[in-house]
Amino acid sequence: AIITILIALIILFIVWKFSFKALLSFGIGLCITLICFAYLAYIRSIEYPIISHFGLRLIIFIVVVTELNDVFQYLSGKFFGNKPIVPQISPNKTWEGLIGGVMLTTLLSNLLGYLLFSFYDLLNFTFMGLLLGILGFGGDVLMSYMKRKAHVKDTGTLIPGHGGILDRCDSLIM
């Protein structure tokens, strides 16, 4: 797969005279996408003897917790936020949004972990909630940074007012 990507980038550079910056952006985007799909396939294949469809349950857990983390951070920031965390990249992201979102995500992680898995470990699911909340924020900021560098406001119009479909899955990238 990597050799195919390199050949495609060389063709774009030589034949169509793409700039190095455009090729680098394209290559990074392609790698992020391919890595994410590879991890999804890996997670889906995980088996656990006493839980049927364990990998599928893990994917559901990760996606639901991460996506709702995005919503929780938005709502916490909207209602309580006044201290920007990264104003040069995303001026509407606040410390209050991050902290409130991660706290609510930790609660959701425990609730969903209890519902989806037959084993329940408060410490494990609390850690997962904290980790997914912080990494979700990191993915969101990373994609906001990349959009700002590319001078793109929204990545699509499928979901009006939400910056496009990429804004719905940018938290999952990390």
Side-chain angles (χ1 to χ4, degrees):
I2 293 175
I3 294 173
T4 305
I5 292 171
L6 288 174
I7 291 171
L9 292 176
I10 290 170
I11 290 170
L12 289 173
F13 186 71
I14 294 172
V15 176
W16 285 300
K17 309 291 185 215
F18 276 63
S19 71
F20 179 75
K21 185 177 177 181
L23 289 176
L24 185 62
S25 298
F26 177 73
I28 289 171
L30 196 56
C31 287
I32 287 172
T33 305
L34 292 175
I35 289 169
C36 289
F37 280 116
Y39 274 113
L40 275 177
Y42 170 73
I43 292 169
R44 177 64 181 93
S45 71
I46 296 174
E47 294 180 15
Y48 194 71
I50 60 173
I51 301 174
S52 65
H53 308 292
F54 184 73
L56 182 59
R57 290 175 191 229
L58 275 176
I59 289 176
I60 290 168
F61 177 83
I62 291 167
V63 169
V64 169
V65 170
T66 304
E67 288 304 309
L68 286 177
N69 169 60
D70 205 19
V71 172
F72 293 153
Q73 287 188 14
Y74 169 76
L75 292 174
S76 297
K78 186 160 186 77
F79 290 118
F80 306 109
N82 60 11
K83 294 182 189 90
I85 192 168
V86 283
Q88 63 280 15
I89 296 172
S90 188
N92 294 328
K93 297 204 184 328
T94 63
W95 283 103
E96 296 84 359
L98 173 62
I99 293 167
V102 169
M103 287 176 19
L104 289 169
T105 299
T106 303
L107 292 173
L108 172 68
S109 173
N110 279 284
L111 175 67
L112 200 57
Y114 179 77
L115 294 173
L116 283 175
F117 304 102
S118 60
F119 62 89
Y120 178 72
D121 180 7
L122 178 69
L123 185 61
N124 191 27
F125 286 107
T126 299
F127 175 73
M128 289 301 293
L130 291 170
L131 184 67
L132 289 173
I134 292 167
L135 290 177
F137 174 80
D140 199 8
V141 170
L142 173 67
M143 296 315 284
S144 293
Y145 173 77
M146 291 176 78
K147 284 189 337 186
R148 188 164 298 279
K149 282 299 201 185
H151 305 289
V152 174
K153 169 87 173 93
D154 291 337
T155 55
T157 57
L158 184 62
I159 308 171
H162 288 272
I165 199 72
L166 183 60
D167 277 2
R168 295 295 43 103
C169 35
D170 57 5
S171 301
L172 289 166
I173 288 176
M174 292 267 195

